[in-house]
Amino acid sequence: MDLSSRALYAFFIIVVCGVAACAHEELGVAMNAPASAPATVQASRAPLPAPSPYIVADVDDMRAVALALDGPGNVGVAVGNMRVVLEHGQQRFATEGVPDSLRGTVRIPRRFGGGFLFWTETSLYRSQTFDGALTPIARMPSYIETVSFAPKAIFVRMNEGERCAVSLTGERVALDFPALASIEALDDGRALAFDSFGAAFSSVDAGGHWTDVTSQLRSSPQHIAAVKDELWLFDSQGGALGLEPGGRLSFVGDKKPPERVKVRPIDPRWQGGFSPLRTVFRSGAALDDQTSLLVDQGNLVRVDMRTGEIVSMVAGKIPSEASCEAIPTGSDILFACEKDGSSTLVVSHTTGSGDPVIEKTFAENGTFYASDDGGLAFNGACKPTTSAASPACVRQPDGSWTQYDLSGLRGNASFQSATALRWVPRADGHAIALVSEPSLAIYDPRSGARVPLREGESTSAIRRSEFQRQRSMNSFTVDRLWSQSPSGTLRGWAEMWSGGVFEITADGHTRAPYEFNRLTTSGPYALGQWKDGRLLQSTDHGATWTLVAGSPDSSEWTAAINCSSAGCDFGGFYRIGWPTTPPAETPMPIAPQASEVGHSAPVEILCRPSGAIASKVLEYTKDSPEDLGLGAVRLPLTCSRRGFYGDSGQPLFFRPSGTPPHRRWSFVAPFDPLGVIKTTAAMNEVFATTRASRVHDYLADESVRGRFPMTPFDPSRASDLALAFEGFLAQLRAPGRAGEATRPPVRLVAQPPNGMSNIVSGVVLNEKESAFLAITVSRSIREHVLSVGQNGTTELFDVAPGTPENGFSYRNPDVLAIGPDGNLAVIRTPIGNDPPSSMDPAMLWLNGQNPRVLAPWSTLTLANDDACRKDSGYRATLQTMHPWVRVASADVGDGREEDSPMLVRVKWNDKRVCLEGLEVRMPDVEVPVTTPHGTYPMSVGTWLVSLGNTFARIGIAEGIEWRQPLECSIVPR
């Protein structure tokens, strides 16, 4: 059974590291500063509370959700763990937050009492007003994907596929109908829904009656949208059906879902991909405390930093294809621009009343170095024909450009290999170089002076930082990392993992005085997150630091994403300017955590030992474990493993050995409580008795795409084990009964049709034929049933088309089932962790018939019970992501089952579930293993394995077999 692994999610963080220095009592940490280091970190103390520098950001990514409120232009924004109301251009913060980040919000329909619904990753809340007191509703078992309103409940879909209907008070209620995938309803009684089999339904009486409207769709249903007083059903081809008040469905063309609500209106003249304000903090600069300047699509734009409005625009004076970044100077704002990805230019005269001027063009792409005082240099020659050693073209105060290089340094034979790691310009038109080879040094091209840096840990950090910067640098970059103070000290921001702040004095002394968890910089400005989470600000390139207020959103990391002289973009909030607003004295109150929604409980099985433990353990040799097979089997080294597929975390004991075509497979048949280890013949012997083509080529790749138990036609037998390879199937036979004729250990079956290599379930029809369930995925999930026998492969029928809503990675796969008359069906169980219940039942799908509801899992009964022997039903083998049974016994280990996959073979109908076989994880046991170096305990995974009324606890590993017979019964409920 192949199960997708969970995707792991994490932010990319710029971690700065260096020599810790500069101690200060306000920080409450010791930074091990040198005795001569000044205590430059200080706390901000304002005599009166200052207004918040933070305003809610524009919703142009997934960090916030905006909702239109009553009144023109009024908007509510759910951002981080905060709620913010914008009315008449003013913002108002809610007085309490939530424990996690808010992921969505929607108005609650009038039929539920109105108000607003909010949800985090896992919890639902409601409030009568957008920023009012929050009432917790329910907490879900996994991340919430979508929320909608059914006629009488909230319908929630989660990322692992679970679906759940809850009331506004948090009680779990039954779904409107089984296999529900999506639903929306209006206050007038209209409702649309579709299920995971691709069937669509409509209602006009608040779900009292549902009408099947699947035949009216052009393709499978994909999405339902409720927009004001309209209800639309979208199909997978992009078409939409609207449900009219009388119940008639009519095509409404290629309707598009409504656009996301904007926090601020966007001027129609604006053409940028990001909003004006977000662009300001990425590539603009502040003109004054109120306005900022940027270039967008060739237009020079002035933006109000509080409202995001365009104050003025000078159009068409800069190439429209140019991508530009602002560089503030004392009397102007320059823009360094990349054009067509192959050339660069500099624009000046942007702050006056006249038109901007293209001051300088370079015929190549490259890096600009910008200093705090407005100095600017291009990392290249002023003229393309110039040949020089590491040249830099430096802007002069009058707008002309002068070239510097290392020719004076390279005139000395000792420095022939010296190169400029970077140039540091000044506003007066001068520039110095940080050079390498044979050692780091500062070089002044005017005077020819070279000052070597004093070697030490800081010097090594500077070298690493510069090399890392060069490796990660884009073809076009404005580098603002280093600047020179009037006293001649160089100060630089560390890149990547190399440090926080660097200092190089005029005589070559170096140090790295600060270390931050996270740091975002722009020239002289920086925001750094300290080790305890507090935010520090510097406006003088790290010479001094001030504690300032962090983002109102306390649920996300507090370092900024982008900064400019205008302020910073925190994702959910903008920080306007660089004020010294102090941190808040008290944290924001957090709403209570919601209670977890009700679950359908596993069935309890009570077990106790009925016999002694029997174990076989091989002694390790110098070649172990390479010479150990599955169980107490010694392998010749020529048959040593080429990959081990057995896993104590999965209920299948299986291992290949040897190389193609001589490979053998050892396995324990599923649902065999005796735990008999069976080994197949060599594959070249099997090939001789089959007509399978190119099998040897497929086996050259050791990977098995999937493995699963086959449901036998005889319920008293253990199950065959099916292996799905790339291009063909192999069926490993379970042991036969005593006295039976020998059965071939392997049956190779014909190749499935193209596109059906994802085989997930199968049943044995007879000794010569089996049937399989195959899955293909394109725009929707489709399932196919096929039979395989001596005469090849026959496609029997397709299962009703699935929907995109059913295509979650972490779902319990559908299984093929066989009825009492040999007819085939498909069983679909709830997708999440819970066993089927009356609120979310398992479904039986028969070709050409409507799905049938199966009995809840709570009706589980042993198969040899009188009721089960008399019942007919559909037999199938299920593979579930989590166990639906709980082993309850103090006599069998600690009685805990692990949260791992479960295999179960059942006979199922609408009255009960009859248990034919079970494999569920139990605690590990420790077995003493003798090695050449002594005897040591080894942990072996064990499983509760049953067939009919026979139960045992089994552990099989390399060189180890452990078995214990049990007596088990199902605990009545």
Side-chain angles (χ1 to χ4, degrees):
M1 176 175 61
D2 290 341
L3 303 172
S4 302
S5 60
R6 295 180 179 270
L8 296 178
Y9 300 92
F11 287 97
F12 174 73
I13 301 173
I14 298 179
V15 181
V16 292
C17 45
V19 179
C22 184
H24 196 277
E25 293 179 359
E26 290 287 343
L27 290 177
V29 295
M31 301 176 66
N32 301 322
S36 59
T40 55
V41 180
Q42 53 192 331
S44 172
R45 293 183 176 87
L48 294 174
S52 172
Y54 293 93
I55 63 173
V56 67
D58 297 289
V59 183
D60 52 11
D61 61 11
M62 297 302 293
R63 295 179 180 272
V65 179
L67 191 66
L69 303 179
D70 297 333
N74 295 342
V75 177
V77 185
V79 49
N81 68 340
M82 292 285 301
R83 292 165 295 146
V84 185
V85 174
L86 281 74
E87 290 181 344
H88 311 296
Q90 302 296 315
Q91 66 180 15
R92 182 177 71 247
F93 289 89
T95 57
E96 66 175 346
V98 293
D100 305 309
S101 293
L102 290 163
R103 300 302 183 191
T105 179
V106 68
R107 286 182 180 272
I108 297 174
R110 292 190 306 274
R111 64 185 182 277
F112 296 113
F116 296 87
L117 182 73
F118 301 91
W119 59 94
T120 66
E121 289 182 341
T122 58
S123 297
L124 299 173
Y125 295 84
R126 69 177 302 178
S127 178
Q128 198 57 40
T129 60
F130 191 88
D131 57 345
L134 291 169
T135 300
I137 297 175
R139 187 171 74 253
M140 300 295 138
S142 60
Y143 290 168
I144 296 172
E145 286 284 343
T146 62
V147 175
S148 62
F149 288 100
K152 299 174 183 178
I154 305 171
F155 180 65
V156 182
R157 285 298 297 263
M158 288 156 269
N159 71 323
E160 290 195 350
E162 295 103 322
R163 54 194 168 217
C164 182
V166 295
S167 69
L168 266 290
T169 54
E171 292 85 7
R172 186 169 185 176
V173 298
L175 302 176
D176 284 72
F177 49 86
L180 181 63
S182 183
I183 189 169
E184 288 278 5
L186 302 178
D187 284 335
D188 64 6
R190 283 180 289 167
L192 284 172
F194 59 84
D195 67 14
S196 63
F197 292 101
F201 305 89
S202 69
S203 175
V204 292
D205 59 357
H209 300 84
W210 291 94
T211 301
D212 191 327
V213 295
T214 311
S215 61
Q216 300 183 45
L217 274 64
R218 297 182 299 180
S219 58
S220 61
Q222 186 177 48
H223 175 65
I224 301 173
V227 184
K228 295 183 179 180
D229 58 349
E230 295 187 60
L231 206 54
W232 302 335
L233 173 61
F234 295 87
D235 61 32
S236 59
Q237 295 182 1
L241 289 168
L243 183 60
E244 298 178 1
R248 179 175 174 269
L249 275 175
S250 59
F251 281 100
V252 291
D254 295 331
K255 279 277 189 182
K256 302 296 182 185
E259 294 185 358
R260 301 177 71 184
V261 174
K262 300 290 186 182
V263 172
R264 299 170 183 86
I266 302 296
D267 192 301
R269 294 174 293 174
W270 179 258
Q271 302 297 316
F274 294 103
S275 66
L277 274 183
R278 185 145 277 157
T279 306
V280 164
F281 304 117
R282 289 172 178 263
S283 58
L287 276 170
D288 50 45
D289 292 341
Q290 186 68 26
T291 57
S292 56
L293 192 66
L294 56 88
V295 171
D296 173 64
Q297 303 293 311
N299 305 318
L300 187 64
V301 185
R302 296 192 182 204
V303 177
D304 187 305
M305 288 192 293
R306 288 286 173 180
T307 66
E309 296 175 356
I310 294 178
V311 177
S312 65
M313 178 182 288
V314 178
K317 302 302 180 181
I318 303 170
S320 60
E321 67 274 20
S323 174
C324 303
E325 291 190 36
I327 303 169
T329 68
S331 59
D332 196 6
I333 294 180
L334 307 177
F335 284 89
C337 306
E338 175 191 35
K339 179 184 176 184
D340 297 330
S342 59
S343 61
T344 50
L345 53 94
V346 177
V347 180
S348 61
H349 297 81
T350 64
T351 58
S353 58
D355 291 340
V357 174
I358 297 178
E359 179 180 284
K360 180 68 174 174
T361 299
F362 298 93
E364 58 181 326
N365 214 335
T367 299
F368 285 94
Y369 298 114
S371 65
D372 297 351
D373 61 359
L376 184 64
F378 178 72
N379 188 31
C382 289
K383 296 181 180 179
T385 57
T386 302
S387 176
S390 295
C393 192
V394 183
R395 188 177 188 270
Q396 303 301 302
D398 62 357
S400 62
W401 291 73
T402 298
Q403 181 167 303
Y404 297 103
D405 56 43
L406 302 186
S407 57
L409 182 63
R410 286 189 173 179
N412 188 322
S414 300
F415 306 117
Q416 287 294 315
S417 60
T419 58
L421 293 178
R422 67 162 52 249
W423 289 88
V424 183
R426 295 198 314 229
D428 62 5
H430 189 38
I432 60 175
L434 179 64
V435 299
S436 65
E437 304 299 338
S439 62
L440 287 181
I442 300 170
Y443 175 66
D444 185 338
R446 281 185 179 177
S447 66
R450 176 183 176 274
V451 179
L453 303 190
R454 306 290 181 89
E455 285 294 334
E457 190 170 351
S458 298
T459 309
S460 299
I462 291 171
R463 184 182 287 108
R464 290 195 305 270
S465 176
E466 285 302 306
F467 288 145
Q468 179 63 47
R469 176 190 64 85
Q470 292 179 355
R471 286 195 298 267
S472 62
M473 194 166 55
N474 296 324
S475 57
F476 168 74
T477 305
V478 178
D479 185 322
R480 314 165 197 267
L481 296 178
W482 286 80
S483 191
Q484 188 175 27
S485 70
S487 65
T489 298
L490 291 175
R491 300 188 65 82
W493 303 118
E495 276 277 311
M496 305 300 283
W497 299 276
S498 302
V501 184
F502 294 133
E503 290 181 355
I504 304 175
T505 62
D507 60 357
H509 283 87
T510 64
R511 67 176 189 150
Y514 303 110
E515 177 185 358
F516 295 92
N517 284 346
R518 303 176 180 107
L519 186 71
T520 308
T521 70
S522 179
Y525 304 101
L527 285 176
Q529 187 189 49
W530 194 240
K531 299 173 183 179
D532 59 4
R534 288 182 292 173
L535 199 66
L536 282 81
Q537 169 181 293
S538 178
T539 58
D540 54 8
H541 221 114
T544 59
W545 293 89
T546 303
L547 289 170
V548 294
S551 168
D553 171 21
S554 62
S555 67
E556 300 285 358
W557 62 309
T558 58
I561 300 171
N562 292 288
C563 290
S564 70
S565 62
C568 291
D569 178 3
F570 278 73
F573 287 91
Y574 300 140
R575 186 177 191 265
I576 306 300
W578 294 87
T580 56
T581 308
E585 295 184 1
T586 58
M588 178 184 62
I590 300 298
Q593 180 68 272
S595 299
E596 191 165 0
V597 72
H599 292 279
S600 54
V603 170
E604 287 197 351
I605 294 182
L606 183 64
C607 293
R608 66 183 183 191
S610 61
I613 295 172
S615 63
K616 298 179 183 179
V617 182
L618 292 185
E619 183 174 338
Y620 268 44
T621 70
K622 61 182 180 61
D623 298 315
S624 299
E626 294 298 320
D627 64 340
L628 298 179
L630 184 66
V633 176
R634 187 83 67 186
L635 296 176
L637 289 181
T638 55
C639 293
S640 64
R641 59 181 178 172
R642 294 290 301 276
F644 181 50
Y645 296 91
D647 185 349
S648 62
Q650 295 189 10
L652 293 173
F653 301 108
F654 166 69
R655 173 183 160 172
S657 62
T659 58
H662 304 286
R663 175 164 297 146
R664 299 172 183 267
W665 284 306
S666 297
F667 67 100
V668 175
F671 312 118
D672 178 10
L674 298 179
V676 176
I677 299 173
K678 189 172 182 182
T679 301
T680 69
M683 294 314 298
N684 56 352
E685 299 173 21
V686 178
F687 297 160
T689 63
T690 68
R691 293 181 295 173
S693 62
R694 298 178 58 238
V695 174
H696 177 273
D697 294 339
Y698 296 128
L699 283 176
D701 179 2
E702 292 180 349
S703 64
V704 177
R705 294 176 60 91
R707 55 191 187 274
F708 53 87
M710 304 281 290
T711 303
F713 58 83
D714 182 351
S716 64
R717 286 187 179 275
S719 291
D720 291 356
L721 178 62
L723 304 180
F725 293 87
E726 179 66 40
F728 80 101
L729 289 160
Q731 187 174 326
L732 309 187
R733 300 276 198 173
R737 294 191 184 94
E740 275 189 328
T742 302
R743 307 169 76 209
V746 177
R747 181 171 70 186
L748 290 178
V749 296
Q751 297 169 289
N754 290 334
M756 295 188 190
S757 59
N758 193 7
I759 312 291
V760 296
S761 179
V763 299
V764 179
L765 300 177
N766 52 56
E767 281 293 331
K768 298 181 179 180
E769 186 178 18
S770 297
F772 295 92
L773 179 66
I775 295 178
T776 59
V777 180
S778 53
R779 298 184 67 175
S780 63
I781 291 178
R782 289 187 174 272
E783 298 179 332
H784 318 270
V785 176
L786 49 112
S787 67
V788 179
Q790 291 180 330
N791 295 323
T793 302
T794 303
E795 296 186 49
L796 300 179
F797 56 85
D798 288 350
V799 182
T803 70
E805 300 279 346
N806 200 33
F808 290 84
S809 298
Y810 310 111
R811 55 183 297 253
N812 301 323
D814 289 353
V815 295
L816 191 62
I818 185 168
D821 299 326
N823 49 332
L824 296 173
V826 171
I827 292 178
R828 178 166 296 172
T829 61
I831 295 172
N833 300 338
D834 287 357
S837 65
S838 57
M839 292 185 178
D840 194 359
M843 305 292 294
L844 179 77
W845 187 90
L846 285 159
N847 188 25
Q849 300 182 28
N850 291 328
R852 303 178 188 176
V853 174
L854 294 172
W857 185 253
S858 58
T859 63
L860 188 69
T861 306
L862 292 179
N864 62 350
D865 182 89
D866 288 342
C868 280
R869 282 200 293 262
K870 295 175 182 177
D871 274 352
S872 61
Y874 281 80
R875 299 179 54 251
T877 303
L878 282 70
Q879 308 168 67
T880 67
M881 289 291 298
H882 298 271
W884 291 352
V885 299
R886 178 180 295 118
V887 181
S889 176
D891 299 328
V892 182
D894 56 11
R896 293 181 298 105
E897 79 287 345
E898 299 289 339
D899 191 15
S900 60
M902 176 190 77
L903 291 179
V904 60
R905 205 170 78 196
V906 296
K907 181 173 65 174
W908 211 335
N909 58 28
D910 59 348
K911 299 183 183 67
R912 61 184 57 84
V913 190
C914 297
L915 179 64
E916 290 186 357
L918 175 68
E919 292 200 9
V920 65
R921 190 77 159 89
M922 293 190 71
D924 293 354
V925 294
E926 285 194 347
V927 176
V929 175
T930 301
T931 74
H933 306 290
T935 300
Y936 304 96
M938 180 176 291
S939 291
V940 178
T942 68
W943 293 83
L944 174 64
V945 180
S946 78
L947 181 63
N949 264 15
T950 304
F951 289 81
R953 186 180 181 188
I954 298 176
I956 306 290
E958 294 171 307
I960 298 173
E961 300 178 27
W962 190 98
R963 299 176 179 86
Q964 181 181 30
L966 303 176
E967 290 181 356
C968 299
S969 60
I970 295 175
V971 178
R973 302 187 65 177

